[in-house]
Each structure stands twice: as C-alpha cells, then as structure tokens.
Amino acid sequence: MTEMNYAAIDIGSNAARLLVKRIEESETGTKFSKELLLRVPLRLGFDVFGKGKISEKREKNMVRLMKSYAYLMKIYDVQKYRACATSAMRDAKNGMDIIKEIEKKTGIHIEIIGGQEEAQIVYNNHIEYMKDRTGNYLYVDVGGGSTEVNLLSQGELKCSRSYNIGTVRLLNKAVKESEWTRLKDDMTELARQYPDTNIIGSGGNINKLYRLAEKKDKKAQRMTVETLRGLYDELSALSVEERMDKFSLKPDRADVIVPAGNIFLTIADILGSSYIYVPTIGLADGIIDGLYAGSKEEREHGKSLKSLDAEK
C-alpha cells in the first residue's frame, strides 16, 4: 500500500481554504481521507469589487494566513500542494504584487487561474464522485466573484463556462447586466440541447442551504429545487442579523447565502431542473484530484520507461 498527503489552497473572493487529504492506494482501490479543512473569511472581494484593489490590511492578513498554512502543511507532512486564487485576485490591480510578496515571505507559490480553468478543476472532482452517473447534469460552482458551470452528459464533459456573477459581486452591485444576459442565453441553449438536466451544486453556500433544508434525500445527497426555493424565500425575507439569529449563521455566510440561492434558482429555472445534488465538492477537492492524477501518471510513466529499459 502507498499513501501520500496532498494539500490545496483555494483563495476565493469570500474565504481562503486549506484542504489536506491522505490518499491511500491498495489492491482493493484508492481511498481519499480528509485530514484537515480550514476556512478563513478574508473577504477579498469586498475590497476588489468595490475599490479595484486589495487593501493593505487584507494584504497583511493574507500573508499571515499563508504563513499559517505553510506551517500546517509541514505538520501534516504534505508532499504535494497547489495554491490557486480565483475571481477577486484576477480582478485586483495589485494581485500580482501581493502574490510575489507572499511567495517571498512564506514560500507559497500562488497561481491566479482563469474562470475556464477554475470550471475544469471543479469538474475534476468526478474522480471521487459521480463515477457511474448517467443522464444530464450541470455542475454549478457559485463563488464570491464568479460562477463556474460544467455540462456532463452520459458521463462525458460537454462544455465548461465561467461567468463574472458571484455572491460578493452581487452584494457590491458589481455584476454587469450583459453578464446575466450571457448566462441566461447559455442556459437556454443548454436546456434545448440537453433536456432533463439536473444540477450538482458546489460551494459553501449550497452546502449550508442543503444542511438547513428540512426536506432532503440524504441517501442520494439531493434536495428538490422547490425545497431550495422555499428556503430562499424564507431567508431573503430576513435581515442579515435575523438570518444569523434564526439559522445560526456566521456573519460572512449570512450575507452571501441569499445571492447564492438566487444564482442557483435562476439556473435551475431556465434548465427546468427538478433536483440539486449536493455532494460537498469544490475547487479545493478538484485541485487535489488533479495533483493525484498527475502524480499517478508520473509514476505509471516511470514504470513504462523502466520496462522499456528492461527490454533493451
């Protein structure tokens, strides 16, 4: 049996996450075990989508957090990691300068990835989940700065799209009407090409909404779109403080959960979806799947090279 620890750092527009997983390979198969998951609400998007750059205070907090993540990866004996920053860092005027400063002070190299790559990485999580699923499904990952979608039909990836529509952008009134139009037009076309498409939801907000839902199918890890609509209506009628009190939500979840529900319902209504599956997947999981797949390919390639040498 072989085992390795992999880590992913996901620096989003609302929060930054560190995920550490142990992956064990044996004759009976491959086992993924979550060793650590930390989420810290840096809320970079509130600076970027309002002022165009990350403030000095948040930059200092980013450096402090990355130092902590670097130490934790050492403690957990992480052999491979990848750190990715998404929408807020893509849009920040000082994003690249901050990344250089973080690498200099912590040793952590951060990549700013495009929306299309972000969508592909989220899709990569199929290594762990939905292996044998047939039918039409749309992976929808709603973040603070952007929404990524992947259309999966009969187990095959048909298309990946990214939209600058996210929860923090919506709260900052920084979403262009043309972007909503693009999303709605694309979803209308997908609904025509792939009828009876259901949604696989990704991101902290849909996970929280699923946990809050009273009616759900725990075995299938899904809830109906109508259940989500009822919950959305109830939450949107309350103030942020009332949501925190009634549903025991943290402040950095209570404000973004309603715009997230709106994005999911907009897509579900155009597609005519009946269900939203919520298997607790996200960018960090996809990053680790990509690292593992690359490592496995390297090892297999090494074996094939050795066998060729033996033949000589």
Side-chain angles (χ1 to χ4, degrees), residues 14 142-147 165-172 205 255-261 263:
N14 195 35
V142 174
S146 61
T147 292
I165 300 172
T167 58
V168 179
R169 273 192 206 271
L170 284 169
L171 289 175
N172 279 271
N205 288 299
D255 56 355
V256 294
I257 199 165
V258 167
I263 295 168

Side-chain angles (χ1 to χ4, degrees), residues 37-181:
L37 175 61
L38 277 179
R39 176 186 179 275
V40 178
L42 284 176
R43 317 219 86 184
L44 301 178
F46 283 91
D47 280 350
V48 178
F49 307 137
K51 304 165 195 168
K53 58 185 283 190
I54 293 164
S55 66
E56 192 177 331
K57 183 183 177 182
R58 282 202 168 93
E59 180 183 347
K60 285 179 180 176
N61 284 338
M62 271 191 82
V63 173
R64 289 174 183 136
L65 185 60
M66 291 307 114
K67 279 182 181 175
S68 302
Y69 284 179
Y71 283 122
L72 283 166
M73 286 194 291
K74 285 180 182 176
I75 290 167
Y76 279 85
D77 193 26
V78 168
Q79 283 103 344
K80 287 194 175 184
Y81 82 94
R82 187 181 183 193
C84 295
T86 56
S87 191
M89 292 295 281
R90 283 199 293 267
D91 286 10
K93 292 172 188 171
N94 55 346
M96 287 308 299
D97 291 336
I98 290 172
I99 280 174
K100 287 173 186 172
E101 191 67 15
I102 286 171
E103 186 160 12
K104 184 178 164 185
K105 290 183 175 177
T106 71
I108 290 178
H109 173 68
I110 298 169
E111 301 170 57
I112 297 179
I113 60 171
Q116 200 76 4
E117 185 178 358
E118 188 178 349
Q120 289 279 354
I121 291 171
V122 172
Y123 169 74
N124 280 348
N125 196 249
H126 77 283
I127 292 173
E128 286 186 74
Y129 185 78
M130 304 289 283
K131 281 183 184 175
D132 306 312
R133 188 75 66 180
T134 57
N136 297 327
Y137 293 88
L138 190 73
Y139 281 78
V140 180
D141 181 52
V142 174
S146 61
T147 292
E148 276 66 47
V149 305
N150 295 273
L151 196 285
L152 188 68
S153 180
Q154 309 304 327
E156 287 185 21
L157 180 64
K158 298 297 182 181
C159 70
S160 297
R161 307 264 167 84
S162 178
Y163 306 91
N164 281 335
I165 300 172
T167 58
V168 179
R169 273 192 206 271
L170 284 169
L171 289 175
N172 279 271
K173 296 181 171 53
V175 175
K176 294 177 182 176
E177 194 57 41
S178 59
E179 199 69 353
W180 274 118
T181 301

Side-chain angles (χ1 to χ4, degrees), residues 292-304:
Y292 169 66
S295 178
K296 191 177 180 183
E297 192 177 317
E298 281 174 15
R299 283 183 279 124
E300 287 174 355
H301 183 62
K303 283 179 185 174
S304 65

Side-chain angles (χ1 to χ4, degrees), residues 1 12 117 143 145 155 160 165 183 209 211 217 221 255 283:
M1 184 176 77
E117 185 178 358
S160 297
I165 300 172
L183 180 141
L209 286 162
R211 287 196 293 272
D217 184 341
Q221 291 183 284
D255 56 355
L283 181 65

Side-chain angles (χ1 to χ4, degrees), residues 187-204:
M187 294 306 108
T188 301
E189 181 59 24
L190 289 179
R192 187 187 66 77
Q193 290 183 44
Y194 302 97
D196 304 316
T197 295
N198 284 309
I199 290 171
I200 301 167
S202 172

